[in-house]
Amino acid sequence: MTSEAVKESILEADFDAIVAAGDRVEPRDWMPEGYRKTLVRQIAQHAHSEIIGMQPEGNWITRAPSLRRKAILLAKVQDEAGHGLYLYSACETLGVSRDELTRLLIAGKQKYSSIFNYPTLSYADVGTIGWLVDGAAICNQVPLCRTSFGPYGRAMIRICKEESFHQRQGYELLMTMMRGTDEQRAMVQESVDRFWWPALMMFGPPDEESPNTAQSMAWGIKRNTNDDLRQRFVDMTVPQAEALGVTLPDPDLRWNDERGHHDFGQPDWDEFMQVVKGNGPCNAQRLVHRRRAHEDGAWVREAATAFAAKASA
Ligand SMILES: [Fe+2]
Ligand SMILES: [Fe+2]
């Protein structure tokens, strides 16, 4: 072995020991290149999801039915912007700038969660997104608070606290509508029918079709498999649906006494692949909107850069 190779094998052993002990890897620590790349891809995708996710709900801010509902929705959408910024910052500790990540997003070279490529057709969708989409995000994200990369885990702790507010505001909105007129109850049911399957897709493909899961778990980036998290979400959501008085649109959904979990049907994975490939109902619209917002903000970035240069001079 050359002295370089010896040095690297010592560093790698240190890294493995940190991960095995469940400690945090920090930005200045040595890490395998594959670990760094996987994290950049995952954190960037997560950051982009927060930012693109502002669009479907932002669609309803000007049409919220009361001042109170408008204030809640504004606060929620602003939280999502904050989540995006925490996560871009976490990603920057791995040596990729937010500018570069934004460029990759608007060039269509990095992905965001498939769920945000579905339209928000009624105001009830604001409630359903809070309940089901933020609910699924919580299931995904709570274990990430213990992820092996320090900046990512710490960002997730803060984000999860806000996500639980998001979920409750959605549930409270739906509960209010369910106590209203028949028309309002029908609106809630129609919205849940549209979002249930896309929400289940948020956990990613079934484990046997998720080739990166094993490596991500070995590195302590992921703590649970896609199917585990999907099961946890279904078990958590079924009693909430009962309390709400809505029907989840899955004829195979039933309690399994032997397993101690609910059995449930599979989403349409062909539809999922189409949405991931860019052919969902709103993919093009979301990117056009994000690109335009980025261009419209160019003068702010220029002014801030000029101001910073002047201040430091
Ligand atoms: Fe968020
Ligand atoms: Fe959220």
Side-chain angles (χ1 to χ4, degrees), residues 48 51-52 54-55 88 98 102 105-106 112 284-297 301:
H48 298 329
I51 297 297
I52 296 283
M54 295 166 76
Q55 291 184 39
Y88 284 129
R98 177 174 147 203
T102 303
L105 169 67
I106 59 185
Y112 54 87
Q285 181 191 331
R286 300 293 184 235
L287 275 189
V288 165
H289 188 94
R290 182 68 194 90
R291 216 171 280 142
R292 197 188 325 124
H294 188 65
E295 284 158 13
D296 289 349
R301 292 189 296 279

Side-chain angles (χ1 to χ4, degrees), residues 50 57 76-77 79-80 83 116 129-130 133-135 137-138 141 159 162-167 169:
E50 302 284 356
E57 291 182 284
K76 200 255 184 189
V77 172
D79 280 355
E80 305 300 6
H83 298 173
F116 301 119
I129 288 178
V133 176
D134 291 277
I138 291 169
Q141 292 171 5
I159 289 173
E162 293 177 347
E163 294 302 351
S164 81
F165 151 69
H166 295 174
Q167 202 217 10
Q169 68 81 33

Side-chain angles (χ1 to χ4, degrees), residues 17-38:
I18 292 174
V19 170
D23 288 338
R24 301 275 207 201
V25 177
E26 295 299 336
R28 287 194 183 85
D29 294 341
W30 182 90
M31 59 186 83
E33 190 50 23
Y35 177 81
R36 197 188 73 87
K37 278 197 177 138
T38 301

Side-chain angles (χ1 to χ4, degrees), residues 22-161:
D23 288 338
R24 301 275 207 201
V25 177
E26 295 299 336
R28 287 194 183 85
D29 294 341
W30 182 90
M31 59 186 83
E33 190 50 23
Y35 177 81
R36 197 188 73 87
K37 278 197 177 138
T38 301
L39 276 171
V40 168
R41 198 189 56 225
Q42 181 171 332
I43 302 173
Q45 183 165 329
H46 194 161
H48 298 329
S49 302
E50 302 284 356
I51 297 297
I52 296 283
M54 295 166 76
Q55 291 184 39
E57 291 182 284
N59 178 36
W60 285 94
I61 290 174
T62 56
R63 290 173 289 166
S66 69
L67 182 60
R68 176 170 173 268
R69 292 292 170 194
K70 184 167 176 152
I72 294 171
L73 184 53
L74 259 176
K76 200 255 184 189
V77 172
Q78 281 178 348
D79 280 355
E80 305 300 6
H83 298 173
L85 296 187
Y86 304 157
L87 290 164
Y88 284 129
S89 297
C91 214
E92 286 192 318
T93 68
L94 292 162
V96 194
S97 71
R98 177 174 147 203
D99 231 30
E100 170 69 3
L101 295 171
T102 303
R103 225 176 36 75
L104 290 168
L105 169 67
I106 59 185
K109 289 186 179 150
Q110 279 183 339
K111 300 202 182 309
Y112 54 87
S113 176
S114 56
I115 190 77
F116 301 119
N117 291 311
Y118 291 86
T120 43
L121 303 178
S122 83
Y123 181 71
D125 291 356
V126 170
T128 308
I129 288 178
W131 176 40
L132 296 180
V133 176
D134 291 277
I138 291 169
C139 284
N140 263 327
Q141 292 171 5
V142 166
L144 287 175
C145 294
R146 293 181 296 111
T147 195
S148 58
F149 186 58
Y152 190 28
R154 289 188 288 274
M156 291 320 306
I157 291 171
R158 233 173 127 163
I159 289 173
C160 282
K161 288 186 181 152

